[in-house]
Structures are given as C-alpha cells and as structure tokens.
Amino acid sequence: MQKNHLIELLTQKDNRKKKSKIPARLDFLQSATGAVLVLFIIFHLLFESSILLGKDAMYALTKAFELDFIFEGGEPLFIAFLAFGVFVVFILHALLAMRKFPSSYREYSAYRLHAKMIQHSDTSLWFIQITTGFMMFFLGSIHLYTMMTQPDKIGPFASADRIYSDTMWPMYLLLLVSVVLHASVGLYRLIIKWGWFEREKSKWMIKAATIFYLGIGLVSLGAYMKIGYEHRGEYGKRYTVEIKK
Amino acid sequence: MHRIYEDGGREIVLTIFRHDPNNEDSIPHFQDYPIIERPGMTLYIALTQIYTSMDHDVSFDFVCRAGICGSCAMVVNGKPRLACRTLTSEFSEGKITLLPLPTFQHIKDLSVDTGTFMNAMTKQVEGWIVNNSPQDISTIEKPVEPELSDEIFELDRCIECGICLASCATKVMRPNFVGAVGLNRVARFSLDPHDSRSDEEFYELIGDDEGIFGCMSLMGCQDHCPKHLPLQKQIAYMRNKMVKVR
C-alpha cells in the first residue's frame, strides 16, 4: 500500500497536509450527472409523447433515432448505445447521490421528526427526492436494460404491446411519476445550490413544468395502452410491416 | 374556546417542554400555562410573566429583548424563532407550544447551550481576519469600496442565534455539519479585502462533507433566519469557489 494513503487514513489529509479534493469533485459530478439526466428526460418525455401526434409521427421519430437518414431502414443499435450512455450516467448519479441518503435509523428518524415539526416545504421535498430516487434504482434500471437489450422493439405497436400486452404499464406509471418528480425537485435544488436563478421564479416555473410533463406523460401512456389494447390480437406485429407494404 | 376579558385581553395557553437532562428523576413532558394576553405581548413577556407569577422553575434564555443578542431562540409551534420578536397575537387560536432548539446541547426546559457550538465553529472555520503580510500601523488602512463594505456588513448582521442550524434537516441528521452560520462566516471573510486568505486556504477549512459540500440546499436556514440574511446566496458563492480549487 502506498504510504500517502496511510497518511490520509491517519490524518485525513495528504502528505502536504492538504484536504482531499475528492469531495469537491464528487459534489460537482453529482450536480453534473443530475443536470445531464434532467436534460435527457426533458427531451425523452417530449419524444415519447409524439404518439399523441399519431402513429406516423412516433414511427418517424423512432426511425430518425435509428439514423434511417444515413442507414436505410434504421439501425436500432444506436438506441442501445444511447441507452448504455444514459445508463452509465444514471448509475454514476445514483452512486454519488447515495452519499446523501440517511444511512441509519437515527438519521432517518431525525429527518422525519424534524420535517414533521418544522412543516417547511423545501425540507419535506427532500423526502420526495430520496424516495423517488430510491424507486428509480430499480424502475430506471428495468427500463434502461430493456432499451439496451431490445432496442429494435420501439415503435407505435411494439411499444404499445410492451406496455399493454407485456403488462409493463404499472412499471412505466411508477417510473413516470418518479422520474418527473425527481427531476423537478433535483433541478430546483441545482438552481439553488449553484445560485443560477432567482428562487421563487424558478419554483413557479418548475411547478408548471412538472404539471406539464406529468400531463403529457400520463396521456401518452394512456395512448399506448389504447393502441396496445386494440392491437392485442396481433401482438408482435410491427407497424412498419403493416403500413409500408 | 378562549375567554376574552373586558379589558380586551384574551386567555392564551403556552405549552412548554419541561425537562432537566442533568436530573435523573426528570421526565420529559409538556406543561400548560394559561395566561392573559396583553396588547403588544411578545413571547419573551409571556415567559417572564410565567416565570415571575406562576412557575419560578421554568428555564429560558434572554438578554437584549430586542432581537440583537440571539439568546431567546426557541421552537414556536414548530418554527425556530426569537421569542422576543414573536408576538403572541400572531397565533389566532391562542395555543403556543414552545420547545428548546434542536441540534444544541439541552440545558433545561427552553434553555440550550449555543455557545459551545459557536465557539467550536469559530475555531473550525477560523472566523477572524487573517493577514500575514507585514502591517505598517503608521500608514492609513487601504480603503474598501462602499458597495463591498455594505455586502460584508450585511453578512456581519448574523447574531449567531442558532436558528439556521435548528431549521436545517442536514444539521439535525449530521451533527458535525458546520451549518449556514459557519459558511456565512467564511463567505464574510472571503469577501473582505483585509483578509489575505486564498480559496485554497478556505478549502482547508470547509472543503468537505462537514462543510460546504454537506449542504443539501434544503433552505430551512434562509427561510427561518430572523435577520433575513441571504444565506443560500453565500453558500452558493462559496460552493462555486470551492469546486474550482485544484
């Protein structure tokens, strides 16, 4: 073992008697990965709700992500690459954010009792942040693993079949609520943490965005359910085959 | 339903947390004190009335009675506040529950020891002017721009009442967290041109999870600060500086 490590173990400082810069890097990375994921989800939810504009719009968008303007017919592998990239950022963010979770009953009960006593909205919001974050460890992983392993099964019928016939809708419903709430509270915290914008205006705008994204998310999930229900007899049949032939 | 007396005073009830941690026989409990509210009555006045005419054993702290010393901070109906700056008339139902500030060592009833923490915090963040360059006392001190002075004096208005810490869920969970009072202090000296410390030196004081990186921006500090200090702005200012330290 390197002697410098032993010095840090014994003195909490390095051999120049300086504090580690790792906490600063971790703090920055937690915010940076969070910001990337917020940006991603802002566009992801808009794109997946393209189903509200019709099956053709959703199909065209899916094919565009498969780079069909370069590769004829599209290449789903690009979606898998994108999902893998998001998965790496997602895991890194989860790892960094876990540092802030209550790590014992004492910490958990201290937070809960204090939040109950003080009735302060920003303090209470933290419970939503950690609860939705915890839920997404599992829900986000399921979704991203599906996208990495079955990137070809995205489309008006394929997605609807997965949601309705494969009974994935409860998972997507929970994931939608978790991701929108987590991203909203997370973005609000980022703004305050780094002093980017004025707090009250940001709060108002983020509240409006939360309602908007929950709205389009729920309505488009409903649309996929409807398509999946109507398509249940032809489960597995692709939209492209039906229309293009 | 509370009685209203002919002279306009209404009956209010102060429910006070009673406990003496230094007395093994003391059992934590709440005790009701019904009193007649008078115009302009603050919690400090109400508590003094209880102490002088009802219960000489109840303990609470105060010094200035004008929101300057920070001694009378306590939890009022769930919110950390200064007793001397809180009017009983603010509570329309006439029921006021008083607790000692959490996160500090409890002395007795509503009295806590904020001094030990503030002393340790001052030493931890080296909350004083540090300037190791040679000083010539025969020359006039370098002037400071009025705008900058105003900014520094604004942060100097902190009275170290401890409300920011008692309002902070992070501090409640993690007792070693230095809190807004400490980070505000560092920001104040970081702004001051009389202080020669570099960002690298400030990093050595607050560059960890017990310092600047421990803050989770829960905003309890700023929303309850009786002096309305821009605490989160200072924490963001220091955080931006500290992440850039190489």
Side-chain angles (χ1 to χ4, degrees):
Chain A
M1 180 176 269
Q2 284 186 359
K3 283 181 181 155
N4 285 351
H5 291 172
L6 292 174
I7 291 171
E8 186 161 353
L9 170 71
L10 297 168
T11 67
Q12 287 81 55
K13 296 198 175 185
D14 66 14
N15 58 351
R16 296 172 302 135
K17 297 210 289 190
K18 298 283 182 197
K19 266 188 184 169
S20 168
K21 302 297 179 294
I22 299 290
R25 308 290 168 263
L26 297 181
D27 193 62
F28 176 76
L29 262 181
Q30 185 185 342
S31 294
T33 50
V36 168
L37 292 170
V38 167
L39 265 178
F40 170 75
I41 211 67
I42 282 173
F43 290 104
H44 178 30
L45 285 176
L46 283 178
F47 293 149
E48 68 80 18
S49 63
S50 61
I51 195 70
L52 299 175
L53 301 175
K55 295 187 190 84
D56 285 348
M58 197 270 178
Y59 178 78
L61 202 59
T62 308
K63 286 293 156 192
F65 271 98
E66 291 175 3
L67 308 186
D68 73 335
F69 46 90
I70 302 172
F71 304 97
E72 200 176 335
E75 176 50 70
L77 207 57
F78 290 109
I79 305 262
F81 281 137
L82 180 66
F84 179 73
V86 173
F87 195 52
V88 169
V89 181
F90 172 78
I91 295 289
L92 188 59
H93 182 71
L95 195 66
L96 293 162
M98 257 172 53
R99 298 174 304 134
K100 303 291 180 188
F101 273 51
S103 60
S104 64
Y105 174 71
R106 196 206 68 78
E107 282 194 7
Y108 174 78
S109 69
Y111 166 73
R112 290 293 282 165
L113 295 172
H114 183 261
K116 205 173 171 186
M117 177 193 85
I118 203 163
Q119 297 288 315
H120 175 247
S121 61
D122 282 26
T123 301
S124 304
L125 271 181
W126 192 64
F127 190 68
I128 292 177
Q129 208 174 356
I130 56 169
T131 310
T132 52
F134 183 76
M135 285 168 72
M136 279 196 296
F137 282 154
F138 311 101
L139 304 174
S141 297
I142 295 170
H143 179 49
L144 284 162
Y145 185 78
T146 310
M147 292 301 105
M148 281 189 286
T149 54
Q150 300 163 36
D152 55 322
K153 289 186 181 163
I154 300 171
F157 288 156
S159 299
D161 285 346
R162 184 172 65 249
I163 287 168
Y164 181 81
S165 297
D166 294 345
T167 332
M168 290 290 270
W169 64 266
M171 196 283 292
Y172 279 115
L173 182 62
L174 286 174
L175 179 60
L176 172 72
V177 174
S178 302
V179 82
V180 172
L181 292 181
H182 193 83
S184 304
V185 181
L187 180 61
Y188 174 61
R189 294 269 187 247
L190 275 180
I191 290 169
I192 293 170
K193 190 172 173 179
W194 299 98
W196 288 341
F197 306 111
E198 199 266 318
R199 182 182 173 202
E200 286 309 315
K201 271 185 197 159
S202 306
K203 202 182 233 181
W204 185 88
M205 287 180 74
I206 289 172
K207 265 185 196 167
T210 308
I211 293 166
F212 172 74
Y213 276 98
L214 270 180
I216 61 163
L218 288 171
V219 174
S220 51
L221 186 60
Y224 284 114
M225 287 285 283
K226 182 173 177 286
I227 296 167
Y229 175 75
E230 289 164 356
H231 193 248
R232 67 191 186 286
E234 293 180 301
Y235 172 81
K237 204 170 181 182
R238 301 300 298 265
Y239 187 72
T240 44
V241 178
E242 253 181 35
I243 301 299
K244 300 292 172 184
K245 272 190 176 177
Chain B
M1 193 70 182
H2 295 283
R3 279 172 288 176
I4 306 290
Y5 290 77
E6 281 178 7
D7 62 357
R10 65 170 179 159
E11 186 183 276
I12 60 171
V13 179
L14 270 69
T15 304
I16 299 177
F17 176 75
R18 302 296 313 272
H19 181 46
D20 180 359
N22 296 312
N23 178 356
E24 280 189 12
D25 296 330
S26 169
I27 293 171
H29 66 285
F30 288 91
Q31 191 168 342
D32 287 348
Y33 295 92
I35 58 166
I36 306 304
E37 181 184 56
R38 298 296 173 199
M41 181 181 249
T42 63
L43 277 178
Y44 157 72
I45 295 170
L47 283 167
T48 306
Q49 186 176 316
I50 290 168
Y51 179 77
T52 51
S53 62
M54 297 170 80
D55 187 345
H56 215 59
D57 186 51
V58 68
S59 298
F60 58 97
D61 300 319
F62 68 92
V63 178
C64 75
R65 299 165 288 170
I68 297 165
C69 73
S71 304
C72 63
M74 59 185 68
V75 178
V76 184
N77 283 0
K79 305 279 184 189
R81 302 180 67 165
L82 294 179
C84 69
R85 294 275 297 270
T86 305
L87 292 166
T88 55
S89 58
E90 287 179 41
F91 306 94
S92 55
E93 289 188 7
K95 289 179 180 172
I96 304 169
T97 303
L98 303 177
L99 314 174
L101 283 189
T103 76
F104 293 101
Q105 192 186 344
H106 187 212
I107 297 173
K108 183 174 170 286
D109 304 333
L110 302 175
S111 177
V112 294
D113 174 12
T114 55
T116 301
F117 172 84
M118 295 300 172
N119 186 28
M121 176 276 292
T122 302
K123 288 175 183 162
Q124 184 184 341
V125 304
E126 296 180 9
W128 50 79
I129 295 273
V130 175
N131 195 330
N132 295 324
S133 56
Q135 301 293 311
D136 181 0
I137 57 168
S138 65
T139 57
I140 295 173
E141 197 175 66
K142 207 174 153 189
V144 178
E145 290 300 319
E147 293 79 18
L148 182 56
S149 287
D150 286 346
E151 215 177 321
I152 294 166
F153 293 151
E154 169 75 359
L155 307 187
D156 262 341
R157 292 196 302 110
C158 174
I159 54 173
E160 296 187 0
C161 57
I163 284 178
C164 59
L165 301 171
S167 311
C168 173
T170 308
K171 176 70 181 171
V172 173
M173 279 192 289
R174 290 149 197 158
N176 291 335
F177 179 50
V178 73
V181 62
L183 299 172
N184 177 67
R185 185 85 75 87
V186 177
R188 179 249 175 270
F189 289 108
S190 166
L191 284 171
D192 196 329
H194 295 119
D195 196 309
S196 66
R197 281 176 289 186
S198 63
D199 288 347
E200 285 74 15
E201 287 170 287
F202 284 120
Y203 188 94
E204 293 305 310
L205 304 173
I206 55 164
D208 53 29
D209 287 332
E210 290 170 5
I212 191 78
F213 305 122
C215 172
M216 300 196 292
S217 310
L218 302 181
M219 297 300 286
C221 55
Q222 181 162 309
D223 291 346
H224 294 90
C225 176
K227 307 307 277 187
H228 308 292
L229 293 176
L231 295 170
Q232 204 55 42
K233 187 181 159 197
Q234 302 317 312
I235 295 173
Y237 165 76
M238 286 313 299
R239 191 190 295 272
N240 276 290
K241 275 173 162 289
M242 292 301 101
V243 291
K244 288 175 189 143
V245 172
R246 297 290 153 196

